[in-house]
Amino acid sequence: PVPLAERVTHFISNYLLPTAKERGWKIDLKSSPVFMSSRGGGAMRDRSITKLLSRHFRALGAPSWNATHSLRRKFANDEIDGETEYRLQKGIDTSTASISRTVSLRLGHHS
């Protein structure tokens, strides 16, 4: 879906590539599509994507403890910070429950 593709592109541009550059990893995004099954060209399952990204992180020389979850956590924390700042500027509800609901949707969760 287009919204998922937009979120993936945002994640790659704003989190993955800057982190890779900072840590000296070599990333070539043109070498292969990330979220397309090589068997049939269809969408990959969530676990397959995690395995693929983990394999690529290791190939780039990232430490074994540096999993996709750590980048996801950074993305989530940045989204929470941004949402909180936005709400403070606009005088909107900044309760934990309200911010959690908004950010969880950006992370692909239903709640």
Side-chain angles (χ1 to χ4, degrees), residues 15-82:
Y15 297 93
L16 179 61
L17 292 177
T19 299
K21 183 177 180 181
E22 177 183 309
R23 297 182 181 190
W25 303 344
K26 296 175 183 154
I27 293 183
D28 181 13
L29 295 175
K30 297 176 185 176
S31 63
S32 67
V34 177
F35 298 103
M36 185 179 269
S37 170
S38 60
R39 284 185 227 158
M44 295 177 69
R45 294 187 179 116
D46 290 344
R47 186 68 189 136
S48 299
I49 293 169
T50 300
K51 285 181 180 179
L52 174 73
L53 291 176
S54 295
R55 191 168 43 243
H56 283 288
F57 277 121
R58 284 191 299 276
L60 295 170
S64 60
W65 51 264
N66 193 333
T68 54
H69 183 73
S70 62
L71 290 174
R72 189 171 190 281
R73 184 180 313 132
K74 179 175 178 5
F75 175 78
N77 287 337
D78 287 352
E79 289 295 311
I80 291 168
D81 291 345

